[in-house]
Amino acid sequence: MKNSLKSYIFLDTKNLFQTVAISLLLTLFACNQKWDTKISSPETNDSLKKIGRYYDDKWKNFYDNDQLKLALKNYITAAKYYEQTDEIKNRRWVTRDMGKIEYKQGNYEEALEYFQDALEILKDTNYLRGELLTNVAIAAVYNEQGKEDSLKYDMALTQYLSPGLEILRKQEDKDKKQKNLMVQYLVETGNSYFKKKNYENALSHRTEAKTITEEIGELQNIPAIYYNFGDLYEEQGEYDQVLENYQQWIQLSKEKNILTNERNGYEHVYFFYKKHTEDADSTLKYHELWILLKDSVANSELLKSQQETEIIYESEKKDKEIKLQKSELDKQSEKQKKLLWFIVAILATVLWMVIIGVRENRRKKQLAKTNKVINNQNIQLKEKNKEITVQRDEITAQRDEIEAQRDGLAESNKIIENQHREITDSINYATRIQKGVMTPLEEIKEIFPQSFIFFKPKDIVSGDFYRAAKNTQGKRFIAAPDCTGHGVPWAFMFLLNCDSLDDAVNRESTKTAADILNYANIYLPKKFHQEHKESEEGKLKDTMDVALCAIDENNMLEFALAKNPAILIRNRECIEFKEEKHAIGSGEYTYTNKSFQWEKWDVIYLFSDWFEDQFGWPKGKKFLVKQLKELFQSIADLPMEEQKIHLENTFESRRGNLEQVDDVLVIGFRV
């Protein structure tokens, strides 16, 4: 090894100089190239992105304000900067934006070509939202072209609007963007039907668009919706509705300070009065308002045009300044490169002189230093070997301990998995027992043909259940009970409560709904042998809340209500039957019987308390009984199965992502 070191140290002076000099020149050349690149292209990738986004924001602002020439100019500038970076990969909607500008200028063929190109790109990248946005844009073009070719309306509906609307309706938990997109589809679909003179479908789609727009708070779009309603009612000859919607259009345009919309509103009202009425005063009034605002809009557009001209002038002036600055920068760059090469030459000369001067001294010191380093390294190597041996033994011991722990953990996991599987199987079997004990839905349909049951347990096994029966006198009974308690105690209470209700219905002495609850109220304490227990600790804790309804052959209704109310909807009016504040199981209370004569189309609702107690989206507030009553009033005229679907959808949409509070049970029926 010493001989090798000597050979290295005593290299020929000429070879050493050449090696060091070449390394220096290559290093300086690389630095120069990097510096030169920086001089000639001062914008980095990030700065180019920022400039591109700046022009991107500008073109969108000009587009929203109908300054289309400036929008197009700034859009092209933004695209130019994006193409110099990797940002272009994320701009899958480039051609779609160009289509929007062409559409707004009335160049429908050019817009359609851009939109269809964009759609092909978006399909390749599997960007569904982009596809939906482009589809509704293509449909808007077809609706404009339908004035010349009515088949375009059908193409817009069948090829783009209906499939896209179907996709959006299937999406669950829609966010604000998805709802806003759905509004665009509903508005454009309404426009297609309106132009096809299918006014019923046009009205339904525009009404749904208005409802969603108000729900998500996009109130700037409401004036245009009222305008659409006005045109629709005018075509149908409903002139009171026309004026009402046009006035709403004008009022909201004023509030949003949209002069063109307000002007167009006055124009439509003026022509409406002129065409359909003989009210000369109103005709003159709205004509004057239209002309006055027309002049204001014209002045505004003239001012906007002047601003566009000034902006274009300033932009061109700025471009010239940038080009001039770049030219000056290039000149400075050339001078600095020449200076750099001069410095390189001086440094190379100085380096050569230094190498010759210090080489001899370094050679002598290097040998002694190298020998010392080798000795120290040998000593350290021996110490390291000892440390490595100790660490290896420690690692081996730790590995053995970890393997033992791993084996023990695996065995524990198997035990836990078996226990979990047994518990789950037991709960699932309990569910089958519960379903087997509860009245079958087919039997309920035989007793109450026009009925529904909305039953949604919180967990696998429910504390709520439903019961229906018919006694030998032809009297029909239906109940919505709610057992208190949980786990194994609840399971026993469920069976006892079912048994108590069944036993009461089949007894000749229980003739009314109140008789059944009074029987059950005594039945439960007797089963637990508690009728003589005086201490609170010995008394029954878990009881039952129940709403029970009975109907005889003369359609006389009877109610008995233990802590759960009942609601009757008659002619869309809500009649509430208040519950009694005593649960079944105390044995110390007598329930009263409430009678009511049934009328055709009456609907009765029995329910547990957890529908209105459910916390709801978005503010986490409860549904409350008032809202539940209003919901029943709104659906009472629907077929029973549709009522059930409406309740399910309302519950799920209100709940959102929040956890279900408890079991939910709602029973509705007509006689």
Side-chain angles (χ1 to χ4, degrees):
M1 184 173 182
K2 290 181 179 180
N3 292 332
S4 299
L5 287 171
K6 288 179 180 179
S7 299
Y8 174 76
I9 294 170
F10 289 103
L11 284 171
D12 183 77
T13 303
K14 181 178 179 181
N15 292 337
L16 177 62
F17 168 73
Q18 288 176 346
T19 302
V20 175
I22 290 171
S23 299
L24 174 64
L25 290 173
L26 288 173
T27 302
L28 291 172
F29 179 74
C31 293
N32 177 60
Q33 287 296 102
K34 182 176 179 181
W35 178 82
D36 182 56
T37 301
K38 187 175 180 181
I39 292 296
S40 61
S41 300
E43 302 93 342
T44 63
N45 191 59
D46 288 340
S47 65
L48 287 171
K49 287 182 182 179
K50 290 178 181 178
I51 295 171
R53 289 172 190 147
Y54 166 75
Y55 284 107
D56 201 359
D57 292 338
K58 284 185 68 176
W59 91 261
K60 290 176 182 175
N61 183 53
F62 286 131
Y63 175 84
D64 291 339
N65 288 280
D66 292 331
Q67 295 173 286
L68 301 181
K69 291 182 180 179
L70 286 174
L72 184 59
K73 177 180 175 64
N74 283 274
Y75 181 81
I76 292 172
T77 304
K80 180 183 71 174
Y81 279 101
Y82 282 135
E83 287 169 358
Q84 300 179 51
T85 70
D86 57 358
E87 190 74 8
I88 195 67
K89 296 177 182 177
N90 298 323
R91 293 191 53 78
R92 295 169 289 195
W93 51 85
V94 170
T95 52
R96 178 179 166 273
D97 292 339
M98 292 295 293
K100 287 171 62 178
I101 296 174
E102 294 291 354
Y103 174 82
K104 208 160 190 179
Q105 295 182 102
N107 302 327
Y108 300 125
E109 287 296 335
E110 291 81 354
L112 187 60
E113 185 177 344
Y114 277 120
F115 287 147
Q116 289 174 340
D117 288 345
L119 191 59
E120 291 301 320
I121 297 171
L122 291 162
K123 286 180 178 178
D124 291 340
T125 56
N126 295 321
Y127 183 34
L128 178 59
R129 176 175 170 78
E131 289 184 47
L132 292 173
L133 285 167
T134 307
N135 280 337
V136 76
I138 293 174
V141 173
Y142 281 145
N143 278 340
E144 292 296 335
Q145 292 179 330
K147 299 171 184 176
E148 304 295 333
D149 180 4
S150 60
L151 292 177
K152 297 287 188 178
Y153 299 139
D154 293 324
M155 292 174 64
L157 282 169
T158 59
Q159 296 182 21
Y160 297 97
L161 294 174
S162 295
L165 199 54
E166 183 179 356
I167 292 172
L168 289 168
R169 289 191 189 282
K170 289 180 179 179
Q171 291 178 344
E172 298 180 356
D173 300 325
K174 298 182 184 65
D175 58 19
K176 189 173 182 179
K177 285 185 177 180
Q178 290 170 317
K179 290 182 179 179
N180 209 341
L181 180 55
M182 190 167 179
V183 169
Q184 295 180 45
Y185 268 84
L186 290 168
V187 169
E188 209 57 56
T189 303
N191 292 343
S192 295
Y193 281 121
F194 175 75
K195 292 174 181 179
K196 285 168 61 66
K197 301 189 182 302
N198 186 340
Y199 300 131
E200 183 179 354
N201 276 329
L203 179 61
S204 66
H205 284 83
R206 288 176 175 178
T207 302
E208 187 177 358
K210 177 176 176 291
T211 301
I212 297 175
T213 301
E214 291 173 340
E215 177 188 336
I216 62 179
E218 294 290 339
L219 300 181
Q220 68 274 14
N221 297 326
I222 292 294
I225 292 177
Y226 277 115
Y227 159 68
N228 289 336
F229 278 126
D231 274 5
L232 177 60
Y233 287 126
E234 186 171 1
E235 287 292 329
Q236 294 179 297
E238 299 181 24
Y239 297 139
D240 291 340
Q241 292 287 347
V242 174
L243 280 176
E244 181 181 341
N245 281 277
Y246 280 168
Q247 293 293 357
Q248 289 284 356
W249 176 22
I250 293 170
Q251 182 61 34
L252 289 171
S253 298
K254 279 184 179 180
E255 293 174 2
K256 300 299 178 182
N257 197 26
I258 308 174
L259 292 180
T260 53
N261 275 2
E262 187 181 353
R263 176 200 65 189
N264 294 338
Y266 288 134
E267 179 184 4
H268 277 68
V269 175
Y270 158 64
F271 280 109
F272 173 82
Y273 275 113
K274 183 178 179 181
K275 182 178 179 181
H276 298 292
T277 72
E278 295 180 358
D279 188 346
D281 292 338
S282 296
T283 303
L284 179 60
K285 170 187 172 183
Y286 282 99
H287 182 268
E288 290 175 349
L289 289 171
W290 171 40
I291 295 301
L292 178 63
L293 206 58
K294 184 178 179 182
D295 293 338
S296 298
V297 172
N299 292 335
S300 175
E301 290 177 350
L302 178 60
L303 178 61
K304 187 187 294 183
S305 177
Q306 291 173 348
Q307 291 174 344
E308 287 183 6
T309 305
E310 291 175 1
I311 291 171
I312 291 172
Y313 171 76
E314 291 296 329
S315 178
E316 291 176 350
K317 183 179 177 182
K318 190 69 176 178
D319 287 341
K320 290 180 181 179
E321 291 177 357
I322 291 172
K323 289 179 181 178
L324 183 60
Q325 290 175 357
K326 188 174 181 181
S327 176
E328 290 295 327
L329 192 62
D330 290 341
K331 291 179 181 178
Q332 293 178 9
S333 173
E334 189 63 29
K335 291 180 180 179
Q336 290 173 353
K337 283 194 287 185
K338 291 179 180 179
L339 178 61
L340 178 65
W341 281 111
F342 178 72
I343 294 172
V344 168
I346 294 176
L347 287 175
T349 304
V350 171
L351 179 63
W352 177 78
M353 295 175 65
V354 170
I355 290 173
I356 295 298
V358 301
R359 178 184 179 280
E360 199 60 32
N361 185 48
R362 186 200 300 178
R363 183 183 62 80
K364 294 177 180 179
K365 292 181 179 180
Q366 187 68 36
L367 183 59
K369 184 178 179 180
T370 302
N371 289 332
K372 185 177 180 180
V373 169
I374 291 171
N375 291 331
N376 290 334
Q377 288 177 344
N378 287 333
I379 295 171
Q380 292 174 1
L381 187 60
K382 291 179 181 179
E383 293 176 353
K384 286 289 183 183
N385 286 335
K386 292 180 182 179
E387 292 177 4
I388 290 171
T389 302
V390 173
Q391 291 173 353
R392 182 189 62 197
D393 295 339
E394 291 177 354
I395 291 171
T396 301
Q398 291 174 356
R399 182 196 62 198
D400 295 340
E401 183 179 352
I402 290 170
E403 288 178 352
Q405 292 175 351
R406 180 194 62 198
D407 295 339
L409 184 61
E411 187 63 29
S412 299
N413 285 338
K414 287 182 181 178
I415 294 172
I416 292 170
E417 287 175 0
N418 290 332
Q419 291 174 344
H420 180 267
R421 183 166 53 253
E422 290 173 359
I423 292 170
T424 303
D425 291 343
S426 298
I427 294 173
N428 288 329
Y429 190 72
T431 303
R432 291 197 292 273
I433 293 174
Q434 183 183 40
K435 289 181 179 178
V437 172
M438 287 194 292
T439 307
L441 294 177
E442 295 80 2
E443 185 177 331
I444 293 176
K445 282 292 185 181
E446 291 178 3
I447 300 172
F448 294 92
Q450 292 196 58
S451 64
F452 73 83
I453 294 179
F454 173 33
F455 180 54
K456 186 175 180 62
K458 177 181 181 293
D459 299 312
I460 298 176
V461 179
S462 171
D464 296 354
F465 65 98
Y466 46 85
R467 210 75 179 155
K470 187 174 183 180
N471 66 11
T472 56
Q473 289 80 33
K475 202 167 193 176
R476 293 176 288 172
F477 300 88
I478 190 165
D482 179 6
C483 297
T484 60
H486 298 278
V488 175
W490 171 87
F492 283 109
M493 291 304 301
F494 166 71
L495 294 172
L496 285 172
N497 287 328
C498 288
D499 191 42
S500 67
L501 293 175
D502 290 346
D503 195 20
V505 168
N506 294 320
R507 287 179 172 270
E508 292 185 3
S509 60
T510 55
K511 297 180 179 180
T512 67
D515 290 342
I516 292 174
L517 294 195
N518 289 328
Y519 178 83
N521 194 32
I522 297 170
Y523 178 93
L524 288 176
K526 282 185 176 181
K527 282 290 182 180
F528 284 91
H529 306 289
Q530 292 187 342
E531 60 270 24
H532 303 299
K533 293 183 180 179
E534 297 181 356
S535 66
E536 290 298 326
E537 293 182 1
K539 287 188 177 182
L540 182 65
K541 301 293 184 181
D542 292 325
T543 57
M544 173 176 65
D545 305 336
V546 59
L548 176 67
C549 179
I551 305 170
D552 63 17
E553 293 179 341
N554 297 320
N555 288 339
M556 178 63 72
L557 293 174
E558 296 177 0
F559 292 99
L561 307 170
K563 297 192 74 175
N564 278 347
I567 290 177
L568 181 144
I569 305 298
R570 172 174 291 173
N571 298 325
R572 295 192 176 181
E573 292 187 4
C574 181
I575 302 172
E576 182 179 3
F577 296 91
K578 292 289 187 179
E579 70 275 17
E580 300 182 54
K581 306 298 183 181
H582 294 270
I584 300 297
S586 64
E588 300 172 353
Y589 184 77
T590 301
Y591 295 94
T592 58
N593 200 61
K594 300 177 178 65
S595 298
F596 206 79
Q597 182 62 48
W598 181 278
E599 292 184 8
K600 189 176 182 180
W601 303 114
D602 285 353
V603 183
I604 297 293
Y605 297 100
L606 310 177
F607 50 92
S608 60
D609 56 351
W610 287 110
F611 194 104
E612 68 268 21
D613 286 348
Q614 175 62 46
F615 294 102
W617 180 90
K619 296 183 178 180
K621 294 184 178 180
K622 290 185 177 181
F623 195 78
L624 301 179
V625 176
K626 179 182 177 182
Q627 292 175 282
L628 186 58
K629 291 178 183 177
E630 293 172 353
L631 178 58
F632 288 152
Q633 286 177 297
S634 69
I635 66 174
D637 294 337
L638 299 175
M640 303 310 291
E641 284 304 316
E642 290 187 22
Q643 291 189 38
K644 176 184 176 182
I645 293 171
H646 197 85
L647 283 172
E648 290 175 346
N649 293 339
T650 301
F651 181 81
E652 291 300 333
S653 62
R654 283 281 305 177
R655 183 171 68 88
N657 294 326
L658 297 178
E659 182 182 359
Q660 184 172 334
V661 177
D662 204 340
D663 305 321
V664 174
L665 173 63
V666 180
I667 301 175
F669 63 92
R670 293 192 185 100
V671 176

